Amino acid sequence: MAGAALIVGGTAGVSNAAVTPPPGATAFTGTGNYGVVTSEHPDTTGCNGYKVVGSGTVTGNRITGGGTWTQKEDACTATVPGKWDINGTVTIKEADGDQLFFTYHLSAPLTADTMVYPTGTFTITGGTGSFDEAVGGGKMNATVNLLDKDHVSAVLDGSMGFRWQI
């Protein structure tokens, strides 16, 4: 899969100690549609994969007016035998400048197929403005065509609350 890209994840955010959604947390859903640029990961032994950066748009039930999606990730083939092991960060930014930060961990089988469907979890680590002290997380699924780096998607399905609710 030389030159191929696996995708998903963004700009590091502030880490809050509590990540489990507190009582009173509500549903959080989102869909990111973005393009990516890949480069070979410098760790050819421990990772043997790609550095991936991406940007695009995002919509969701707690994302007012939509927003932008910015991500960074390491997509490795050497850490888990027979699988992509993908770790990344995302920043969602609303039009008013409020930002939500999360990390994620996904995996997918290594196959000869050009379509890859990484699945895993995301953890909300904080934010700014209306997302200040946000915590939560849930499931994350991506759709990646290794031959089309301009059209990647990720779906988030979980819950979000705030540290002050704890």
Side-chain angles (χ1 to χ4, degrees):
M1 285 199 191
L6 245 222
I7 322 313
V8 192
T11 306
V14 178
S15 178
N16 287 323
V19 294
T20 302
T26 58
F28 175 80
T29 61
T31 301
N33 293 294
Y34 50 98
V36 298
V37 175
T38 62
S39 60
E40 288 191 30
H41 197 285
D43 183 354
T44 56
T45 305
C47 176
N48 192 33
Y50 300 93
K51 288 272 191 193
V52 181
V53 294
S55 62
T57 61
V58 63
T59 58
N61 70 324
R62 308 270 305 260
I63 304 165
T64 306
T68 60
W69 172 286
T70 306
Q71 61 121 68
K72 293 181 181 179
E73 76 179 24
D74 294 325
C76 301
T77 63
T79 52
V80 179
K83 292 187 178 242
W84 286 102
D85 184 33
I86 306 161
N87 292 286
T89 59
V90 172
T91 297
I92 292 173
K93 184 175 182 179
E94 293 180 321
D96 66 2
D98 293 353
Q99 297 180 74
L100 179 67
F101 310 119
F102 68 87
T103 61
Y104 61 89
H105 179 252
L106 308 174
S107 65
L110 285 172
T111 69
D113 191 356
T114 59
M115 292 302 297
V116 181
Y117 303 96
T119 61
T121 60
F122 72 96
T123 301
I124 296 172
T125 59
T128 66
S130 64
F131 297 117
D132 187 38
E133 296 194 31
V135 294
K139 295 181 182 192
M140 182 172 176
N141 301 298
T143 301
V144 181
N145 179 337
L146 297 175
L147 301 178
D148 183 3
K149 296 179 186 179
D150 293 331
H151 299 98
V152 177
S153 65
V155 175
L156 309 169
D157 185 16
S159 61
M160 181 174 77
F162 297 90
R163 290 187 61 199
W164 50 264
Q165 292 175 309
I166 298 172

